[in-house]
Amino acid sequence: MAKLKIISAGTGEHSTFPLTQSMVRIGRHPDNDIIIGDHRISRLHVLIERKGEAFRIKDPKSPNGTMLNGTELVRDQWYPLRPGDKIVLAKGAATLEFVDESQPPEVSFSDTPVAEEATVFRSADQIIGDIRPSDATRLLAAGPQEMLRELARMQRHVDKLSERLTLISKLSQALGSVSRFSLDDIYQRSIELLFKFTPADRCTIMRMDRDTDQLQPVCTRYRPGREEIQSLPISRTITDRVRREQQSLLWTHSTADSQAPGTLVKHGIHSVMCAPLIGLHALVGVLYVDRQSPTEFFDVDDLELLNTVAGPTAMAIDNALAFEQLRREEMTRAAYNRFLPPHLVDKLVASPEAIQLGGANKVVTILFSDIREFTTLAEKTDPRNVVELLNDYFTEMTEIVFANNGTLDKFIGDGLMVLFGAPESTPQDAINAVRAAIEMQQHMVVLGQQLRRYGFPLIRIGIGINTGEVTVGYIGSERRTDYTAIGDAVNLAARLEGRAAPGQILISESTVAQIGDAFPVRRLGPAQVKGKTEPIEVFEVLWTKA
């Protein structure tokens, strides 16, 4: 997943922002997706656009400028973004790093089998290996020389235990201090410890891709001074076996190993270790290291050190993935709760592919409502009371809309626009729309009585409903987009609402055909409306009899 690492100029601490939208706006103004509260940052400082799997950045004429990897961007011109790119805003007011896990490190794979007799296996819980202290009886019965040997062996065993505990402690401290469960920091700190405690020349972390069910490289690092090994292959035979058997593996070059073209030895790799990264519920990936010395190989102690690192690393990755999932769900809820009913938000969070929120032509039922004579009311009432009245009114209306599976499109002054049938269509869309309109009128009777007791004049609403094909989707500009519907059917619903008297619900002939005899209606006859050359049939819902 692509994301931005946002580094604070003052403290050096950082947070991450997932780049899941087609356009991300960064600047000082609250309308932006990423808000940076520094006076040197422009209201809209930079734009980051996603096109397929590629990303690009543009500075739309900010006064203090933007640097990409030390080069100042030409204003209003797009530049491609690549993993690891550094973005500096307004001469250091903020620093961003572009991270894209969907673009894995460039590594090649070798599928050549490795010699079976040159491998050592360890399960994930075999950290110490097979060395065990002698029992006291045998030690006491031994001669002086044998006792010294046993004591020396026991001391080595204690030293190994101490070394493992020290490494586990250091790794736990390193991963525990990782800010906001950053996967990149987990990878970096785990690899740093491997370079410190093992003679590895290259370390690669591979993660399971749940879509392809394959291991994909997500991070590769090289020991300083060994960057020339970047073109060397990784053994797919080893990684697949570790994935399948979930045991760590140590391979070293032996005389039994073939030296045919394509083998690891041909490329100068003489020793490889690989350990499974086993999370709470499943394998999350593997940790792969190799070295190029033809005379010095990894040994069993190195393999056990790799296992020691693999355990905490796997749990840290598991926690980070869970945290990212929770954050994505929270962002989804925050984005859609304002206009979708709760059951659709739950469905969208559980199965993002189940509801298509892109542009499409759909048959929907559109409802418009508006408070009658609101301008007169606003002129005679304290503005603070007017705002409080509108907030209460819209809160109640929104609950009625959501209870009837409607999608709140927008508030228009003192009115609102609602869609029934987008993003998810049902056979009951028109019935839900009319039922919502009836409940809105019924609620206005109660609300009007309450307002009269507080000295407000009686307020009433008019409602118009139409059913037809429209285009629905995210429509707007680079700065702002909204989920809405456009088309002639929307215009007709608005025209019907404009003709409705206070306390009246007017619906079109197409909506009457959809609701059947679910509600009592009265035909008002043909009426000429703006935008139509021919009169249309208009019907009134007798909501007081419903």
Side-chain angles (χ1 to χ4, degrees), residues 171-172 175-176 181 183 186 190 276-285 307-323:
L171 187 59
S172 298
L175 297 180
F181 301 92
L183 282 170
I186 293 170
S190 298
L277 297 173
I278 303 173
L280 186 61
H281 302 293
L283 182 83
V284 297
N307 259 342
T308 303
V309 173
T313 300
M315 295 308 298
I317 291 174
D318 225 17
N319 290 337
L321 294 175
F323 179 79

Side-chain angles (χ1 to χ4, degrees), residues 288-302:
Y288 181 99
V289 300
D290 55 26
R291 63 182 309 194
Q292 282 65 53
S293 172
T295 57
E296 297 178 349
F297 306 121
F298 292 127
D299 57 25
V300 174
D301 285 349
D302 295 321

Side-chain angles (χ1 to χ4, degrees), residues 159-180:
D159 291 342
K160 286 171 66 71
L161 279 174
S162 176
E163 186 180 41
R164 301 298 184 272
L165 290 173
T166 300
L167 181 56
I168 291 173
S169 175
K170 287 181 177 293
L171 187 59
S172 298
Q173 290 175 6
L175 297 180
S177 64
V178 171
S179 174
R180 303 218 179 177

Side-chain angles (χ1 to χ4, degrees), residues 11 23 25 45 67 80 99 126 182 191 216 232 277 282 335 392 396 486 505:
T11 64
M23 183 70 68
R25 297 169 293 276
H45 201 99
M67 305 283 285
V99 179
Q126 286 179 300
S182 165
I191 288 175
Q216 298 292 342
L232 300 184
L277 297 173
D392 290 342
E396 297 294 338
I486 57 174
I505 303 172

